[in-house]
Amino acid sequence: MKKIVKKIVTAVAVALIPSWGGAAAIASVAPATIEARIDSLLSQMTLREKVGQLNQLNTADFDTLGTAVAQGRVGSIINEVNPEVVNALQRKAVEESRLGIPLVFARDVIHGFNTVFPIPLGQAATWNPSLVEEAARIAAVEASATGIRWTFSPMLDVSRDARWGRIAESAGEDPLLNERMGLAMIRGYQTDNLADPTAMAACAKHFAGYGYSEAGKDYNTTWLPLPLLEDVVLPPFEAAAKAGAATFMTSFNDINGVPSSGNKWLMRDVLRERWGFDGVLISDWNAITEMINHGVAADKKEATLLAAAAGVDIDMEGHSYPDVLEALVAEGRLDEAVIDGLVRNVLRLKFRLGLFENPYVDTSRPSPAFAPAHLAAATRAAEEGTVLLKNTGLLPFGKGVKKIAVVGPMADAPHDQCGTWAPDIRRERSVTPLAALRKLYGDRNVLYAPGLRYTRDRSCEGIAAAVKAAGDADAVLCFVGEEAVMSGEAHSMADLDLKGAQTELIEAVAATGKPVVLVVMAGRPLTIGRERDMADAVLYSFHGGTMAGEALARIISGKANPSGKLPVTMARMTGQYPMYYAHKNTGRPPEWTVELDSIPVEAPQTSTGCTSYYLDAGKEPLYPFGYGLSYTTFEISEPRLSASVMPMSGATFTVECTVTNTGKCAGAETVQFYVRDVVGSLARPVKELKDFAKVWLEPGESRVVSFTLAPSQLAFHGLDGKPVLEPGEFMVWTAGSSAEGTPVSFNLVENKLL
Ligand code: BGC
């Protein structure tokens, strides 16, 4: 076998973002100039005008909104996407309001605007930050063409419970993966010059802890001890603040009884003081007023006082700030200087966005929506975000597969394949698997019989036709999953099995004896163990967006080689969640388990082993975090450490491994670098991801992948929330998933002992 060994060093990749013609180059205004201009404006503003800047309203009928804007009572608008209306409202602000302060227009541009990319969970499955950055850049180009200059993305909520519908919007269960994907999105949205008319302000949300909503039920309470907050929940947010995310959003949940929109410690001490954030902090939708429902404020005035004290700059469509802030100042309960501080942050954002110089959207520019380069990038993202979970050799289809039965409710679901938060799609632009397969294999060779009309359909009437199609074909492609509306905000699920009669459909087509590929298109990991066992191959594609069908057809036919890896643990049964690879070992980690059905009647209580597992689900997930197959195979060597002893206050340390493509086709492997702190003053996770590198390799090609590790990456937080670095043994893995690899150890030692 030919051996080519190249050396690559992981470093933040600099993505080559194409330049987008048409946008005038705008220089950013110097910070000192901005502060001076803010001072000047503030000195001229009435209290009412100041409050206006803190008021974000949903778009509404033009006359009502336009009048409020002209009176200086509105600072920003969410959800207006008609550029003519954007400009007309902006004219009201710039030309008719007393001080001419421009509006900023915001929207949830979460995973693409017109061209929809995979849901963020699917983008995370690419393990390719450059591609995610490119997706965000394209989203910004398309959205800014309608006047949107602020997106409420990225969501940085580490999500370890797939019942929570918003796991779809996250990068999954790991803090580092959330951080890397979040930073890539921020770079893509903001570029290095927010004043560029194609740049959008990013928003790190939901600050904080929202992913820990108890029992995966949306908006639910959270209990977060300081070590969990500091080690898992906050790091992606800290990285976002330090990377210059222009805005942050409070979360809906309370943490230990304190709703985020009134959490002074989190918003002022941590975000502003510790991390030095000088951007805008916006409440989530109506979240200030909802502190009344939480039961920490008796009325709007109390809620508003809490939020202002916590430093929440903008009230999103909550009508608390505009309704009561002025009265609170008049009553002497709130110092106007506090309001000045909030307004200062809002004006700073508007200056940074260049809105004072360039308030209007250029409607003469040709629409960039669905540009060929955007569709090509969306195809690549959907390809790389698809995870091959099982393959007995059926995929990619070879020459023997001429006639294909295409069944299942997701085979031709142009709306649903785009997933949650895709309000600006045009469903006729979605390329469904059915359309792409027909194009690739010819209409006559694709026998389409969906079997079910939609994923929750319980009627089995259509299944006979699907069975007939399967019988007439060489192989069956069965597209199942979840409709878009089944994940996302306020769409939690208590049971993650396939809904409707999808399992019956799979059973029926598998019973024909024809080889079956199961393709799952969903907003979260579903519990598909039974269905996996009935299939010869399984592709998990999340909701892949506009080009999902094209990407899947390319993978199925072998034009593309899948390289996705799970950004989240897939459980066997819903009751295993929260389930994540970085769990603690417990005092009784199981070495063996007993299955419920194998327990003899009247078995002694202790005969099943008194260890930490489920009798009906065992100890393992269905698939672990980081897992994903390819059409080729890879070998990753054990880690090679630059030393076996690391001084606590020393320089960085190098961990290398060699990855080889041992199969017959080109492909990409994601090398994952995990560490375990063997003994700590607090129990430490059994593994933690410290870095990763996605490597493309020709057959037979090898590369050396090199990671660096600094002592600070081995620190954790104690019960008091303070960081500690402790000497001792650490184990290191370099592997293709969180469940593979052979570890090598090193010792972290105090310098004086060296
Ligand atoms: C969501 C946010 C979103 C906001 C604006 C809220 O309900 O929680 O994520 O940005 O609405 O649409």
Side-chain angles (χ1 to χ4, degrees), residues 262-446:
N263 192 331
K264 205 169 167 186
W265 170 75
L266 197 55
M267 304 303 158
R268 287 208 188 267
D269 300 358
V270 176
L271 178 61
R272 299 276 182 201
E273 297 299 321
R274 204 201 296 171
W275 299 345
F277 176 70
D278 69 354
V280 162
L281 173 63
I282 185 169
S283 79
D284 203 343
W285 185 288
N286 198 37
I288 297 176
T289 314
E290 285 169 17
M291 286 198 280
I292 303 170
N293 287 343
H294 276 283
V296 298
D299 54 24
K300 269 193 188 182
K301 281 190 175 166
E302 280 190 11
T304 297
L305 276 175
L306 284 175
V312 178
D313 299 315
I314 296 183
D315 177 3
M316 184 199 285
E317 183 58 28
H319 302 274
S320 274
Y321 278 10
D323 287 1
V324 303
L325 264 180
E326 281 181 77
L328 285 168
V329 174
E331 290 162 18
R333 294 169 72 189
L334 184 66
D335 192 339
E336 193 170 337
V338 174
I339 296 182
D340 287 354
L342 311 181
V343 175
R344 179 173 287 280
N345 294 331
V346 176
L347 294 177
R348 190 180 295 120
L349 175 68
K350 293 182 175 184
F351 279 113
R352 284 177 174 165
L353 282 166
L355 288 167
F356 284 88
E357 289 71 29
N358 195 15
Y360 300 110
V361 51
D362 180 358
T363 49
S364 66
R365 260 168 71 195
S367 167
F370 304 109
H374 300 186
L375 297 177
T379 305
R380 256 184 294 129
E383 264 169 35
E384 289 197 33
T386 294
V387 186
L388 178 64
L389 293 177
K390 173 179 178 179
N391 192 10
T392 56
L394 175 61
L395 285 177
F397 282 170
K399 292 206 166 51
V401 179
K402 294 203 167 58
K403 275 217 181 317
I404 302 166
V406 172
V407 308
M410 293 298 288
D412 194 30
H415 169 88
D416 290 317
Q417 74 181 33
C418 290
T420 187
W421 280 126
D424 301 293
I425 56 166
R426 275 179 238 144
R427 69 193 287 292
E428 71 279 8
R429 297 306 302 251
S430 289
V431 179
T432 68
L434 177 66
L437 287 160
R438 279 184 169 151
K439 205 163 123 210
L440 205 61
Y441 286 92
D443 286 359
R444 274 184 306 129
N445 297 321
V446 173

Side-chain angles (χ1 to χ4, degrees), residues 496-543:
L496 301 179
D497 286 355
L498 286 172
K499 297 282 187 274
Q502 295 188 93
T503 304
E504 287 84 337
L505 172 66
I506 298 160
E507 232 158 25
V509 293
T512 63
K514 294 294 169 70
V516 175
V517 180
L518 188 67
V519 184
V520 187
M521 301 165 83
R524 51 159 74 79
L526 294 171
T527 44
I528 53 158
R530 240 185 99 200
E531 296 78 5
R532 181 267 320 258
D533 292 344
M534 291 187 263
D536 299 274
V538 180
L539 287 166
Y540 211 94
S541 91
F542 300 98
H543 286 134

Side-chain angles (χ1 to χ4, degrees), residues 78 108 152 166 205-206 249 252 284-285 316 421 489:
I78 173 172
D108 291 280
F152 296 128
R166 301 199 83 167
K205 73 183 188 186
H206 306 84
M249 185 189 292
F252 282 127
D284 203 343
W285 185 288
M316 184 199 285
W421 280 126
E489 182 176 355

Side-chain angles (χ1 to χ4, degrees), residues 647-702:
M648 279 171 78
S649 56
T652 56
F653 186 84
T654 306
V655 177
E656 274 184 7
C657 67
T658 305
V659 51
T660 307
N661 181 344
T662 51
K664 295 198 168 53
C665 61
E669 173 64 312
T670 298
V671 181
Q672 301 157 44
F673 167 35
Y674 295 94
V675 169
R676 177 174 183 176
D677 180 354
V678 181
V679 179
S681 54
L682 293 182
R684 307 288 300 122
V686 296
K687 265 182 196 178
E688 289 176 291
L689 184 71
K690 293 293 173 193
D691 206 345
F692 59 87
K694 188 165 186 171
V695 185
W696 277 261
L697 295 167
E698 294 298 319
E701 186 182 356
S702 289

Side-chain angles (χ1 to χ4, degrees), residues 171-186:
E173 73 185 48
D174 185 72
L176 183 84
L177 197 55
N178 272 279
E179 176 181 318
R180 293 283 170 86
M181 295 303 164
L183 295 189
M185 287 185 189
I186 293 166

